[in-house]
């Protein structure tokens, strides 16, 4: 029990103590007291294992204090809610000050990194305590600490992608891969007394990946880069010992990792809250590139821009390539048929090649990288299945036929990936093609026809191709120039390009994105934007050439002419006297909504700036106009002015319901896309004919998302108000109807201004 529990308690004692100290310095009293109390309980439990005279009462008292503090905190929050936020007990205010300062993203990064460092302390403590003699052996009871750290770090990796921290997510994933392998090693020691064998090429490759990652991390944070160098030393020490984690060299490095993790965790926590920060070298290397004419760094917002779409995740392609490389080189170690599990391949292949490739595939799909996502998921599934089949003991001659059939299926699937990469880039084509060679080697192995050295050769070829993609993706996401070339696609098709600059795809949730789209439109560009219904193609009304371009892009049919959109009736107010009063009141009642009103053409168009553009909007007799019920769209119109609108699809095709479809359908003809994911609706707006509204009748050109009954209900309400003269007395039946609804004693009814005329006290 002592050997099992003490290593983790040693780590969490120090981690909780650091949180408590920082909490005191920042006057987070309740949090600080809970952390320090739990820290004291951990140290008391450690002492209890070595000296029974301490007794359990000290541990019980610490936990009792935690319970009392918890009750106090809950009571404070309850009182705060009951008294409608007027009463706040000391230490129970949970207002996130970082959000008020606009630093919530940085705060989340600190929380994730600090947690990761403490988890690394727990894992390193397992091996460090053995070397220092605190524990007498390494055994299965310590697996819980290692795999708990591994699982939590996997979650932290996903959350880091969620917060657009690509480099942090990558090295956290590397940490967790090591944790899974360490736990597997201790578990196997319990299952079998045989000596474990580790694939030495794997550790060599892992060392190189850590070195490259450390170099690029130094651009952001020097202290994190130095921290990664300790893991470089760890991988080197593992490569120098054929039996891995159970020898003094790696265990000595673990002690260093424990100490450095504690120091960096303390600095990270302190700097997050303190106005006086401890220097960490953040941005030091970055400043060297500021005035560099050769290397130009990408801006942070450019790094996180999704490829053809809206995404809540950073790019995971770097990690995916690295994991496939690790899995491939791990499988170069021949397994022992008698003891297949004695060769430590399963954790590298199943976790690195399998689990993390599946995670990266999901992230790539959310970023609009459908082909890359399909490849990562396919490769992840293959690594898991073949790794378990080949290195778990179920591999036998009698099952070689089944394995062969399955591998042929994978080869066929990957053939489609290889073909698709012809439209992506030359580097990706080589990567997918060399993976096909890996699959062929597995097939030959399954039928016992593998030529000597073939698997090693194709693994090296695949590793080189994967490493180049890993390096180029890492480099190109860090530097804007120069770029490591990945090659243009062998086959280019309309509506597909790797060059974002030709047609920027910008996230609609960012104000800067809307501003960029507005600038494109002000300069005569046409853009695809989201609305309250489907995606549309728009141009600024005061840009006749852009409106003409949008018109010709669609080859617009006569039955679906371009419409006119505004952001508020204030834009149309100068032309109010030119419109039928009933039409105006119908607009006020119906908008903003998914209802387009078709009204007669007239001089009112000039008020909206649609001078030379008017001939491309509507028909010679009428024009459809509306205010969309979409914040992003109306905000864009506020910046640009009234816009000419048409559906973002070639005539005769289905409406466009996703931003990726805009560019796929219209290709290079569109100058920008504002990305908002899937449309809220799959049906277009309802188009109402108001050209004969003075007769009291309306008709429908198209019934869309808003049903007829709702439109008629709105129109009836407007008509009723007109009949009573409350809204537009110019169209009331008689002045008698007006006097029935007016209280002559009311000061508010001295004068009634209604477009057509004014009724004052004398005329009444």
């Amino acid at each position: 029990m002592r050997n099992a529990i003490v290593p983790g308690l040693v780590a969490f004692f120090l981690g909780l103590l650091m949180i408590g100290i920082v909490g005191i310095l920042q006057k987070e009293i309740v949090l600080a007291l809970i952390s320090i109390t739990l820290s004291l309980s951990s140290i008391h439990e450690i002492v209890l294992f070595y000296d029974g005279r301490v007794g359990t009462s000290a541990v019980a008292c610490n936990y009792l204090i935690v319970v009392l503090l918890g009750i106090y905190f809950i009571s404070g929050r309850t009182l705060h809610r009951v008294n409608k936020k007027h009463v706040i007990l000391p230490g129970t205010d949970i207002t996130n000050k970082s959000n008020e300062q606009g630093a919530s993203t940085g705060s989340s990064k600190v929380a994730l990194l600090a947690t990761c460092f403490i988890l690394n302390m727990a894992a390193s403590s397992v091996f460090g305590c053995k070397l220092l003699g605190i524990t007498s052996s390494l055994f299965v009871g310590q697996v819980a600490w290692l795999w708990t750290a591994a699982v939590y770090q996997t979650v932290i990796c996903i959350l880091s992608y969620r917060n657009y921290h690509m480099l942090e997510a990558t090295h956290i994933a590397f940490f967790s891969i090591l944790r899974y392998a360490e736990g597997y090693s201790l578990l196997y020691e319990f299952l079998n007394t045989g000596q474990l064998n580790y694939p030495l090429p794997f550790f060599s490759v892992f060392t190189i990946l850590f070195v490259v990652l450390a170099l690029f991390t130094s651009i952001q944070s020097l202290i994190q880069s130095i921290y990664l160098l300790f893991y470089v030393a760890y991988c080197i020490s593992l490569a120098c010992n054929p039996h891995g984690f159970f020898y003094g060299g790696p265990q000595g490095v673990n002690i260093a990792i424990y100490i450095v993790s504690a120091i960096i965790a303390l600095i990270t926590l302190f700097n997050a809250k303190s106005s006086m920060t401890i220097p960490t070298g953040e941005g030091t290397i970055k400043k060297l590139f500021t005035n560099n004419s050769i290397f130009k760094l990408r801006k942070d917002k450019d790094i996180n821009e999704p490829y053809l779409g809206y995404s809540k995740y950073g790019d995971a392609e770097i990690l995916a390539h690295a994991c496939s490389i690790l899995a491939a080189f791990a499988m170069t170690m021949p397994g022992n048929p008698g003891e297949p599990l004695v060769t430590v391949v399963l954790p590298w292949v199943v976790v690195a090649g399998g689990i993390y490739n599946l995670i990266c595939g999901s992230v790539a799909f959310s970023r609009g990288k459908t082909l890359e996502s399909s490849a990562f998921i396919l490769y992840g599934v293959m690594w898991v299945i073949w790794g378990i089949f080949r290195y778990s003991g179920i591999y036998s001659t009698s099952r070689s036929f089944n394995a062969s059939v399955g591998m042929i299926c994978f080869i066929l699937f990957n053939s489609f990936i290889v073909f698709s990469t012809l439209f992506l880039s030359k580097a990706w084509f080589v990567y997918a093609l060399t993976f096909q060679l890996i699959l062929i080697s597995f097939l030959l192995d399954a039928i016992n026809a593998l030529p000597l050295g073939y698997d090693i050769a194709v693994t090296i070829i695949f590793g080189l191709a994967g490493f180049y993609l890993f390096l180029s993706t890492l480099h190109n996401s860090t530097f804007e120039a120069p770029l490591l070339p990945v090659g243009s696609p062998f086959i280019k098709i309309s509506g597909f390009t790797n060059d974002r600059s030709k047609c920027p795809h910008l996230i609609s949730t960012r104000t800067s994105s809307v501003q960029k789209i507005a600038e494109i439109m002000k300069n005569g560009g046409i853009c695809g934007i989201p609305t309250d219904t489907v995606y549309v193609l728009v141009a600024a009304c005061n840009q006749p050439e852009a409106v003409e371009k949008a018109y010709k892009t669609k080859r617009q049919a006569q039955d679906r002419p371009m419409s006119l959109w505004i952001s508020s009736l204030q834009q149309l107010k100068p032309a109010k006297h030119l419109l039928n009063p009933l039409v105006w009141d119908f607009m006020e009642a119906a908008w903003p909504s998914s209802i387009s009103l078709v009204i007669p053409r007239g001089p009112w168009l000039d008020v909206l700036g649609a001078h030379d553009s008017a001939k491309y909007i509507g028909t010679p007799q009428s024009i459809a106009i509306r205010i969309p019920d979409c914040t992003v769209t109306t905000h864009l119109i506020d910046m640009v002015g009234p816009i000419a609108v048409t559906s973002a699809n070639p005539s005769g095709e289905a409406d466009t319901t996703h931003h990726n479809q805009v560019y796929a359908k219209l290709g290079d003809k569109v100058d920008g896309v504002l990305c908002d994911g899937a449309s809220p609706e799959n049906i277009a707006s309802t188009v109402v004919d108001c050209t004969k509204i003075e007769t009291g009748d309306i008709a429908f050109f198209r019934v869309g998302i808003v049903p007829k009954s709702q439109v008629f209900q709105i129109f009836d309400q407007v008509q009723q108000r007109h009949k009573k003269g409350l809204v537009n007395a110019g169209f009331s039946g008689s002045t008698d109807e007006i006097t029935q609804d007016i209280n002559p004693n009311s000061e508010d009814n001295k004068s009634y201004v209604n477009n057509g005329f004014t009724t004052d006290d004398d005329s009444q």
Side-chain angles (χ1 to χ4, degrees):
M1 185 64 70
R2 182 179 69 185
N3 289 340
I5 293 181
V6 166
L9 291 179
V10 168
F12 282 99
F13 152 70
L14 187 55
L16 289 166
L17 182 61
M18 291 188 300
I19 294 173
I21 292 172
V22 175
I24 291 174
L25 293 175
Q26 300 305 321
K27 299 180 181 179
E28 299 281 354
I29 304 302
V30 175
L31 173 65
L33 290 176
I34 290 176
S35 298
I36 291 176
T37 305
L38 287 173
S39 177
L40 291 175
S41 68
S42 298
I43 195 64
H44 279 121
E45 287 191 53
I46 293 172
V47 175
L48 183 62
F49 281 114
Y50 293 91
D51 189 352
R53 293 174 297 177
V54 175
T56 58
S57 57
V59 178
C61 287
N62 288 322
Y63 285 131
L64 179 60
I65 294 173
V66 172
V67 172
L68 294 176
L69 288 170
I71 294 173
Y72 169 78
F73 183 81
I74 293 171
S75 302
R77 296 308 304 165
T78 304
L79 185 64
H80 179 64
R81 183 177 291 274
V82 170
N83 286 274
K84 298 181 179 180
K85 303 182 179 180
H86 295 301
V87 179
I88 302 177
L89 293 180
T92 61
D93 186 9
I94 58 173
T95 303
N96 192 345
K97 298 181 178 60
S98 62
N99 285 335
E100 296 174 0
Q101 299 170 0
S104 57
T105 303
S107 178
S108 64
K109 179 178 179 178
V110 168
L112 296 175
L113 286 176
T115 306
C116 179
F117 293 141
I118 294 175
L119 291 170
N120 280 341
M121 289 168 58
S124 300
S125 178
V126 170
F127 298 97
C129 287
K130 169 62 173 64
L131 184 65
L132 296 175
I134 298 174
T135 55
S136 58
S137 64
L138 296 171
F139 75 117
V140 69
Q142 298 153 346
V143 173
W145 297 115
L146 297 170
W147 280 1
T148 299
V151 171
Y152 270 90
Q153 285 177 337
T154 300
V155 175
I156 292 173
C157 171
I158 297 172
L159 293 176
S160 296
Y161 280 124
R162 180 83 173 180
N163 289 284
Y164 302 104
H165 304 146
M166 295 181 295
L167 290 179
E168 287 81 359
T170 304
H171 62 65
I172 289 170
F174 284 1
F175 298 155
S176 70
I177 292 170
L178 286 171
R179 305 286 91 92
Y180 282 114
E182 291 166 352
Y184 173 86
S185 301
L186 297 188
L187 183 63
Y188 185 78
E189 283 287 302
F190 172 73
L191 298 174
N192 196 300
T193 57
Q195 289 288 338
L196 291 172
N197 295 318
Y198 292 87
L200 297 184
F202 172 88
F203 289 120
S204 302
V205 172
F206 214 172
T207 302
I208 295 172
L209 295 178
F210 261 120
V211 169
V212 174
L213 195 60
L215 288 174
F216 282 92
T217 302
S218 65
I219 298 174
Q220 293 185 358
S221 175
L222 197 57
I223 193 171
Q224 287 188 38
S225 176
I226 295 172
Y227 182 70
L228 290 179
L229 293 179
F230 283 87
Y231 276 89
V232 172
Y234 187 39
C235 290
I236 293 174
S237 65
L238 290 171
C240 294
N241 290 281
H243 301 298
F245 307 107
F246 298 94
Y247 284 81
Q251 293 173 12
V253 178
N254 267 303
I255 295 175
I257 290 175
Y258 178 92
I259 296 171
V260 175
S261 298
I263 295 172
I264 297 180
L266 180 59
I267 293 174
T268 303
L269 290 169
F270 180 80
N271 287 351
K273 291 288 186 178
S274 177
S275 57
M276 297 179 61
T277 58
I278 300 172
T280 59
E282 188 168 351
T284 302
I285 304 297
K286 194 173 184 179
K287 292 179 182 178
L288 300 177
F289 295 96
T290 303
N291 300 319
N292 194 305
S293 59
I294 300 176
F295 293 95
K296 183 179 179 182
L297 288 173
R298 286 191 181 276
K299 298 179 181 179
D300 292 339
K301 58 184 179 181
D302 294 335
I303 295 173
N304 298 322
E305 286 294 337
Y307 175 78
L308 289 182
Y310 172 79
S311 173
K312 295 181 180 179
Y313 295 89
D315 196 355
E317 193 170 338
I318 298 168
L319 178 60
H321 294 311
C323 288
S324 287
I325 296 169
L326 292 174
F329 278 96
M331 297 187 76
T332 57
M333 186 77 174
N336 185 349
E339 293 181 295
L341 294 176
V342 78
T343 303
V344 184
V345 171
L346 276 181
W348 314 121
V349 176
V350 174
V351 176
I355 295 176
Y356 275 106
N357 257 305
L358 295 175
I359 292 173
C360 294
S362 301
V363 172
F365 183 80
S366 74
R367 294 181 60 80
K369 294 187 172 183
T370 310
L371 175 57
E372 293 91 328
S373 171
S374 302
F376 295 150
I377 292 175
L378 175 67
Y379 297 169
V381 172
M382 195 287 302
W383 289 126
V384 171
I385 293 177
W386 182 252
I388 293 176
F389 182 82
R390 186 70 178 83
Y391 290 92
S392 65
I394 63 174
Y395 184 71
S396 62
T397 305
S398 60
R399 298 182 180 180
S400 61
F401 174 77
N402 299 331
S404 303
V405 173
M407 199 53 60
I408 290 173
C409 293
F410 274 110
I411 291 174
L412 293 176
F413 290 144
N414 193 57
S415 298
F416 175 75
I417 299 293
V418 173
F419 172 75
S420 300
T421 55
L422 293 172
F423 305 92
L424 186 58
S425 68
K426 291 182 174 67
W428 253 97
F429 174 76
V430 174
Y431 179 71
L433 186 63
T434 52
F435 191 80
Q436 191 82 312
L437 300 177
I438 294 280
L439 294 175
I440 293 173
S441 73
F442 293 159
L443 175 62
L444 295 175
D445 187 30
I447 60 176
N448 297 318
L450 182 66
L452 183 63
Y454 175 80
D455 55 342
I456 303 297
V458 297
T459 300
I460 293 174
I461 296 172
F462 172 75
L464 292 174
F467 182 75
Y468 182 79
L469 266 178
F470 165 79
L471 191 61
S472 63
T473 306
L474 186 56
H475 176 89
N476 295 344
S477 64
T478 305
F479 295 100
E480 188 174 344
L483 299 177
L484 287 181
V486 294
S488 58
F490 288 99
I491 304 174
K492 295 182 180 180
I493 58 175
S494 176
F496 187 88
T497 180
N498 281 329
D499 189 357
R500 296 183 189 176
S501 61
K502 292 183 179 178
C503 178
H505 288 65
L506 306 170
I507 301 174
S508 64
T509 53
R510 298 179 183 173
T511 303
S512 59
S513 299
V514 182
Q515 290 174 342
K516 286 182 180 179
I517 293 294
E519 289 299 321
I520 292 172
M521 294 176 65
K522 289 177 182 178
N523 293 325
I526 60 174
C527 299
I529 65 169
T531 68
D532 48 346
T533 53
V534 295
Y535 278 79
V536 294
L537 186 65
V538 298
C541 280
N542 57 7
Q543 297 288 335
E545 293 181 358
V547 177
E548 181 183 5
K549 180 181 177 182
Y551 183 85
K552 293 181 177 180
T553 296
K554 275 292 307 284
R555 294 184 176 88
Q556 190 66 39
Q558 290 299 320
D559 58 341
R560 297 191 68 180
M562 297 185 75
S563 59
L564 183 67
W565 287 10
I566 57 178
S567 60
S568 71
L569 279 175
Q570 291 297 319
Q571 292 176 318
L572 197 57
K573 196 168 185 178
K576 182 178 180 180
H577 64 285
L578 300 173
L579 299 173
N580 187 301
L582 189 59
V583 169
W584 182 269
D585 296 333
F586 192 20
M587 289 177 177
E588 283 188 326
W591 293 339
S593 69
S594 302
I595 301 174
S596 297
L597 303 184
V598 178
I599 61 177
R601 298 179 73 96
W604 58 269
L605 269 172
D606 295 336
V607 174
L608 299 180
H611 300 283
D612 297 333
S613 305
K615 59 184 177 181
Y616 301 108
I617 304 173
T619 67
Q621 295 79 30
S622 60
I623 290 178
I625 183 172
R626 84 173 173 111
I627 300 176
D629 191 12
C630 179
T631 303
V632 174
T633 309
T634 53
H635 184 43
L636 179 64
I637 298 173
D638 284 336
M639 295 180 178
V640 177
I643 58 175
V645 181
T646 184
S647 55
N649 56 275
S651 298
E653 293 190 10
D655 289 321
T656 303
T657 57
H658 196 280
H659 55 253
N660 286 344
Q661 297 176 4
V662 177
Y663 194 73
K665 290 183 177 183
L666 300 178
D668 295 328
K669 298 174 183 178
V670 65
D671 299 306
V673 179
L674 194 59
C675 304
D676 196 38
S679 298
E681 304 292 345
N682 294 327
I683 306 174
S685 63
T686 297
V687 183
V688 183
D689 183 5
C690 298
T691 55
K692 299 179 180 179
I693 197 171
E694 66 275 1
T695 64
D697 294 326
I698 58 173
F700 292 84
F701 285 110
R702 178 180 69 202
V703 179
I705 187 64
V706 181
K708 281 185 178 182
S709 58
Q710 185 175 338
V711 177
F712 278 126
Q713 183 181 2
I714 297 172
F715 184 62
D716 288 341
Q717 291 173 355
V718 173
Q719 280 188 311
Q720 290 300 320
R721 290 199 296 269
H722 271 261
K723 288 180 180 179
K724 294 179 180 180
L726 296 179
V727 176
N728 212 313
F731 280 80
S732 64
S734 67
T735 55
D736 294 336
E737 293 182 8
I738 301 175
T739 57
Q740 292 174 5
D741 294 272
I742 295 177
N743 181 3
N745 298 322
S746 174
E747 292 295 324
D748 296 333
N749 292 323
K750 295 298 182 182
S751 179
Y752 309 92
V753 181
N754 294 289
N755 291 338
F757 63 90
T758 300
T759 61
D760 54 23
D761 291 337
D762 296 334
S763 62
Q764 182 177 346

